[in-house]
Amino acid sequence: MSTSRSVVKKVEVVETEEGAGAVVRRSIGSQQLRNVTPFLMLDHFHISKGAGFPDHPHRGQATVTYMLEGSSLHEDSAGHKGEIKTGGVQWMCAGKGIIHAEMPVSGEGIPDPRGLQLWIDLPKQYKMVDPSYQELDPEKIPEAYPQGEDGPVKIRVISGKSHGVESPVRPLGGCWYFHVIFKKPGTIFQELPAGWTTFIYLWSGALQIGSESEPHKPFHTLVLSAAPGENGVQLTATEENTEFVLASAEPLDQPVVQYGPFVMTSREEIQKTFIDYQLGQNGFEKAHVWKSEIGGR
């Protein structure tokens, strides 16, 4: 028996400036949608030439960067560097500390980078693990076709499981993350783990949730219910080229104390993070000596 979740909160997402000249639509992490445990932030970004996110630190969260158009370079203080291409993903666990830069690939005939960055809180016991990466090029992200390859819908399984297809990404704490693409109108049911926090961010087309009669329009974030017995969500695209991401993760029973890119569970831990960063220790050893090659582009 399939019982669908429903929309319990809906937020329209407007453009604002962020970083060095980047334009983002921020839903989770905004005043309207601050506490959606374990999700901390969701940005739909557009980075024009000369803009980007130069050298900056992180501690205590995972950041998931998924490119919709164009590509972005990244480089960190541990010597990790590379390029996230259109349709590719980088799942970075910042753990106890990392400093990195994220900068667009710009040039004549190259589309401006557009994508999504999702911040996910780490369970308290993983806050101080060593940083790690899970990265998939576009062709390595598995895809599910609930109604066959000739059907109306394709699901890119960034993490988790969908219609018998499973991603190799293994997040700390557990998180399912899908890019759902309806070429034509249609309906599917996506199973979800019981009790997990779930949201949808829609940027193209029109989408109905469960038994709703009115479809939602682009640039809205929808937080879904998690009542007992609701084992998934019914998704109905009412227009061609309906695209959205759906993310679901286990809620964390812990305080969230955030100061910019530092996310811990107490003010004392945040104060300790400031000290570690100032003194260049406990994950921030290169805080004052490392400078990225791409950050000054």
Side-chain angles (χ1 to χ4, degrees), residues 146-197:
Q147 294 159 2
E149 292 196 22
D150 295 327
V153 62
K154 173 174 74 175
I155 301 175
R156 308 199 75 227
V157 187
I158 299 167
S159 68
K161 304 173 186 177
S162 178
H163 297 84
V165 175
E166 184 170 359
S167 170
V169 172
R170 294 289 181 269
L172 293 174
C175 176
W176 290 12
Y177 192 27
F178 310 126
H179 175 194
V180 184
I181 305 163
F182 279 90
K183 292 182 296 181
K184 304 171 187 174
T187 299
I188 61 168
F189 187 87
Q190 172 62 52
E191 294 185 352
L192 296 169
W196 280 21
T197 301

Side-chain angles (χ1 to χ4, degrees), residues 85-164:
K85 301 171 184 173
T86 304
V89 67
Q90 178 195 79
W91 201 295
M92 181 185 83
C93 172
K96 66 183 181 182
I98 199 76
I99 303 145
H100 75 161
E102 303 157 284
M103 301 299 289
V105 177
S106 302
E108 198 170 329
I110 299 173
D112 284 349
R114 298 175 188 265
L116 301 166
Q117 187 166 92
L118 176 65
W119 288 13
I120 308 169
D121 199 10
L122 288 173
K124 184 175 173 65
Q125 66 269 30
Y126 298 131
K127 290 280 186 183
M128 297 296 287
V129 299
D130 289 333
S132 62
Y133 290 88
Q134 298 177 78
E135 295 171 321
L136 296 178
D137 283 335
E139 64 276 7
K140 295 294 179 65
I141 294 181
E143 296 177 343
Y145 296 88
Q147 294 159 2
E149 292 196 22
D150 295 327
V153 62
K154 173 174 74 175
I155 301 175
R156 308 199 75 227
V157 187
I158 299 167
S159 68
K161 304 173 186 177
S162 178
H163 297 84

Side-chain angles (χ1 to χ4, degrees), residues 50-89:
F53 302 93
D55 304 6
H56 60 279
H58 286 279
R59 173 181 276 183
Q61 81 272 63
T63 69
V64 184
T65 305
Y66 179 64
M67 298 302 299
L68 298 170
E69 289 183 64
S71 59
S72 178
L73 300 175
H74 62 90
E75 182 183 351
D76 75 20
S77 54
H80 189 89
K81 62 173 66 176
E83 182 175 345
I84 314 168
K85 301 171 184 173
T86 304
V89 67

Side-chain angles (χ1 to χ4, degrees), residues 152-258:
V153 62
K154 173 174 74 175
I155 301 175
R156 308 199 75 227
V157 187
I158 299 167
S159 68
K161 304 173 186 177
S162 178
H163 297 84
V165 175
E166 184 170 359
S167 170
V169 172
R170 294 289 181 269
L172 293 174
C175 176
W176 290 12
Y177 192 27
F178 310 126
H179 175 194
V180 184
I181 305 163
F182 279 90
K183 292 182 296 181
K184 304 171 187 174
T187 299
I188 61 168
F189 187 87
Q190 172 62 52
E191 294 185 352
L192 296 169
W196 280 21
T197 301
T198 305
F199 75 85
I200 288 168
Y201 172 65
L202 172 72
W203 66 85
S204 176
L207 180 68
Q208 291 170 307
I209 307 298
S211 58
E212 292 175 338
S213 56
E214 287 295 316
H216 302 279
K217 296 299 184 182
F219 307 119
H220 284 86
T221 294
L222 315 171
V223 180
L224 304 187
S225 58
E230 294 180 342
N231 59 344
V233 58
Q234 180 175 293
L235 305 163
T236 301
T238 60
E239 294 181 6
E240 293 182 352
N241 302 317
T242 293
E243 290 194 51
F244 55 93
V245 287
L246 184 158
S248 188
E250 187 172 7
L252 298 176
D253 184 16
Q254 63 189 37
V256 175
V257 182
Q258 181 173 356

